[in-house]
Amino acid sequence: MSLPTAASGALFERARAVTPGGVNSPVRAFNAVGGTPRFIRSANGAWLTDVDGNDYVDLICSWGPMLLGHAHPEVQAAVAAAVARGTSYGAPTEPEVDLAEEIVARTPVERVRFVSSGTEATMSAIRLARGFTGRDVIVKFAGCYHGHVDSLLASAGSGLATFAVPGTPGVPESSTALTLVLPYNDRAAVEKVFAEHGDRIACLITEAAPGNMGVVPPEPGFNAFLAETCTRHGALFVSDEVMTGFRASKLGQWGLDGAVEGWRPDLMTFGKVMGGGFPAAAFGGRADVMSRLAPEGPVYQAGTLSGNPIATTAGLTTLRLATDEVYAHIGAAADTIKTAASDALSKAGVAHTVQATGTMFSVFFAEGTVRDFGDASRTDGAAYAAFFHAMLDSGVYLPPSAYEAWFLSSAHDDRAVQTVLDALPGAARAAAAAQAPELETR
Ligand SMILES: *Cc1c(COP(=O)(O)O)cnc(C)c1O
């Protein structure tokens, strides 16, 4: 079966003539899986409808934000009421204060500053860490994505403890010359760079649980070890929860391990769910660190649309509706889909590994535990591409990349989940037929 795609194809042609690659963020293109991206006309609950009239169960949820599903009536009503009052004033508003209070109440941060994207949040957190410590070096992990910040678009140099090289053309060497890139979950590598450069390190930034190389959970105690190592060397521990915050669990990844193990980050970043489908993000943390930020302190940071009343209203409404029941529902749906996907792939003889952190999970088309970016790179891209297209043709919209989490919402009801379950066996057989021959797998 192949679904009609003429209208998407025509829009893609128009888009490519006026926009690089026809998309406004690269992963929306189907470059990794081939074919034409679907242009979405509308969405409701767990479902997307494309411009050709095809319906899909959405397993992307806007790459995380749509925790309550699309067009949630209470979020829509709050947003509509906010729009009726005007959309941006360039002066402070009540929804900003409400949302800041909600985030301070639910996370270890004592003060929070709003921005418009996760990229801005991590960029600003790093500037603040450097301003607070008076140091310049930053440490990150390979495979952790923190937005398109120059100094974080860095690849490991030729050995551990050597400084990074630009990860993309357009980033000057000087922008990554103060960045150290380490393998994830590797304590020895962390110890080595702190032993060598500890007194120059402003901060270590990590995804609280990586989701941008597929879901790679921190090994037990790894975040606690990072927090302790940073503290010992006078560096700040920056936990990037743009993806996991209010998504992996009600309290994010910090709630899954920090609250249990008794550590807290010095700075955190948030985005995605906290914007409720609008451009809103935040960074926050210790009061003494955050007070170094302008206008209270000397570290400059600003934004014309920061704390926008529509975005903060959508985010606040979403967080208030994100009850224990919401996370329990998403967790149960995730378990059903994870198990069924693994069963179908096993039956078809497709090498795979399912990994999860809280309600977030991903299916790697590779054998064995994925601990870091090197392991994730063993994924069989051809098998995933075949699987992706078979699922799409059966009405399930997966991430068009093998290195992503699958996202669910509280609107993923029995009908939506059953649509996914029905599609899996055929897609697993398609993946089996496309699998790289064993001798050629890296
Ligand atoms: C999505 C993401 C970002 C970047 O957020 P944008 O809003 O896309 O700029 C940063 N960090 C993590 C962990 C993310 O998942």
Side-chain angles (χ1 to χ4, degrees):
M1 177 187 61
S2 241
L3 302 173
T5 58
S8 276
L11 267 178
F12 191 43
E13 282 309 303
R14 284 173 54 198
R16 274 202 294 196
V18 290
T19 301
V23 294
N24 285 301
S25 196
V27 78
R28 295 178 201 170
F30 280 13
N31 289 3
V33 292
T36 305
R38 304 300 187 262
F39 282 66
I40 304 304
R41 183 173 62 203
S42 64
N44 198 278
W47 297 84
L48 299 172
T49 303
D50 72 14
V51 290
D52 288 287
N54 305 305
D55 293 328
Y56 307 92
V57 178
D58 182 11
L59 295 187
I60 296 183
C61 289
S62 189
W63 301 94
M66 310 316 298
L67 185 79
L68 306 175
H70 297 282
H72 188 285
E74 284 176 68
V75 178
Q76 287 213 321
V79 165
V83 168
R85 295 188 291 267
T87 58
S88 184
Y89 320 119
T93 63
E94 187 167 354
E96 294 166 76
V97 184
D98 291 339
L99 182 58
E101 285 173 350
E102 182 80 17
I103 291 174
V104 166
R106 276 169 71 152
T107 72
V109 310
E110 296 169 333
R111 302 275 189 281
V112 64
R113 168 68 55 87
F114 292 125
V115 290
S116 299
S117 71
T119 296
E120 265 186 279
T122 59
M123 177 186 78
S124 304
I126 280 170
R127 183 182 309 139
L128 178 58
R130 285 171 160 164
F132 179 81
T133 57
R135 300 172 175 183
D136 290 337
V137 173
I138 59 178
V139 181
K140 80 171 289 273
F141 293 108
C144 280
Y145 177 70
H146 304 289
H148 60 102
V149 180
D150 277 1
S151 62
L152 297 172
L153 290 177
S155 303
S158 51
L160 285 184
T162 63
F163 286 85
V165 296
T168 168
V171 171
E173 273 171 33
S174 58
S175 291
T176 54
L178 296 167
T179 306
L180 288 159
V181 182
L182 305 180
Y184 191 67
N185 270 327
D186 187 337
R187 293 185 189 218
V190 174
E191 260 153 17
K192 184 163 190 294
V193 300
F194 272 88
E196 261 170 57
H197 303 286
D199 59 351
R200 294 177 62 202
I201 296 172
C203 67
L204 177 149
I205 183 166
T206 181
E207 284 188 62
N212 283 294
M213 50 176 147
V215 173
V216 178
E219 284 173 2
F222 186 62
N223 279 323
F225 160 78
L226 297 177
E228 189 275 321
T229 303
C230 286
T231 303
R232 189 149 39 83
H233 290 273
L236 299 188
F237 178 47
V238 184
S239 185
D240 180 355
E241 294 237 27
V242 170
M243 183 184 284
T244 50
F246 317 110
R247 166 54 83 175
S249 79
K250 191 173 176 181
L251 303 178
Q253 187 65 27
W254 175 80
L256 295 178
D257 53 25
V260 181
E261 294 164 356
W263 52 270
R264 31 177 72 201
D266 298 300
L267 289 173
M268 298 179 82
T269 54
F270 304 103
K272 298 195 168 110
V273 170
M274 65 146 279
F278 282 79
F283 63 105
R286 276 163 47 188
D288 62 325
V289 179
M290 292 300 289
S291 71
R292 305 298 290 163
L293 208 56
E296 205 172 341
V299 179
Y300 190 69
Q301 189 278 331
T304 301
L305 291 176
S306 293
N308 171 272
I310 312 305
T312 47
T313 296
L316 179 69
T317 310
T318 298
L319 291 191
R320 286 188 175 158
L321 291 167
T323 56
D324 292 332
E325 294 72 51
V326 163
Y327 294 95
H329 176 93
I330 295 174
D335 284 344
T336 304
I337 291 175
K338 271 188 308 208
T339 306
S342 189
D343 286 352
L345 291 166
S346 295
K347 235 174 236 147
V350 179
H352 69 282
T353 306
V354 179
Q355 295 192 174
T357 186
T359 69
M360 275 168 41
F361 68 100
S362 58
V363 181
F364 291 95
F365 282 61
E367 203 117 42
T369 305
V370 176
R371 287 181 73 236
D372 62 18
F373 188 59
D375 292 343
S377 311
R378 291 188 288 105
T379 289
D380 184 341
Y384 183 76
F387 180 80
F388 167 86
H389 278 291
M391 292 294 282
L392 195 67
D393 280 341
S394 302
V396 180
Y397 199 106
L398 287 171
S401 156
Y403 302 96
E404 304 289 348
W406 298 13
F407 293 105
L408 299 170
S409 77
S410 55
H412 283 69
D413 56 8
D414 289 348
R415 186 169 76 93
V417 170
Q418 192 59 49
T419 302
V420 178
L421 302 190
D422 291 345
L424 284 167
R429 288 192 293 275
Q435 251 182 134
E438 207 158 322
L439 288 176
E440 280 170 39
T441 49
R442 281 157 293 157

